[in-house]
Structure formats: structure tokens, C-alpha cells
Amino acid sequence: NIKVIEAMAMAKACVITPSATRGFEHILQHEKNAIIVNNDDEFIECVVKLINDAENVVSLSKNAMETIGTEYSQAFLNGIIKEHIYG
């Protein structure tokens, strides 16, 4: 699952299955920052659509990177570390 977050942080448009969303359901939004599909046919269909729709790829990529930047920023991570160290 972490590979999806890493790809999103690098502004990659992701087509993923529900199993890849585990633990990140709170940030992954279908057709906003990732494409979530339920089977092989949907996967193929969505990948082909993205290949032919550069604007959608750019939009998904930008939203993905912004989501990760917001949800997992250095300031956010520093806060978690401080909370665990200092209580």
C-alpha cells in the first residue's frame, strides 16, 4: 500500500484496487486523486482512458501530490514524532 502513497507523492496518476487503499481510505478519493477499480476489466478500461486523456492524468497527478503533501507533510510528521516523544 505504501507504494501508492509514494507514487502519489511523485505526482503519478494511480489506478488501484480497493485492497491498495487499505489504511489510506481517509485520503484516497476515486477520480479525484486516484482511480479505484474493482476488477481487471475496469483496470484495463481506466488505464486506456488515462492514456488517451492527458488532462485527466495531469489533474489526477496534481491532486495526488497535493493530497500527500497535505496529509503527510514534514510538519505533520514532526507533530506526530513530538507527540510520541513528549506525550
Side-chain angles (χ1 to χ4, degrees), residues 12-23:
K12 303 297 180 188
C14 297
V15 179
I16 59 176
T17 62
S19 64
T21 68
R22 289 190 191 127

Side-chain angles (χ1 to χ4, degrees), residues 3 7 45 56 83 87:
K3 288 181 181 7
E45 180 183 333
N56 194 18
E83 181 180 317

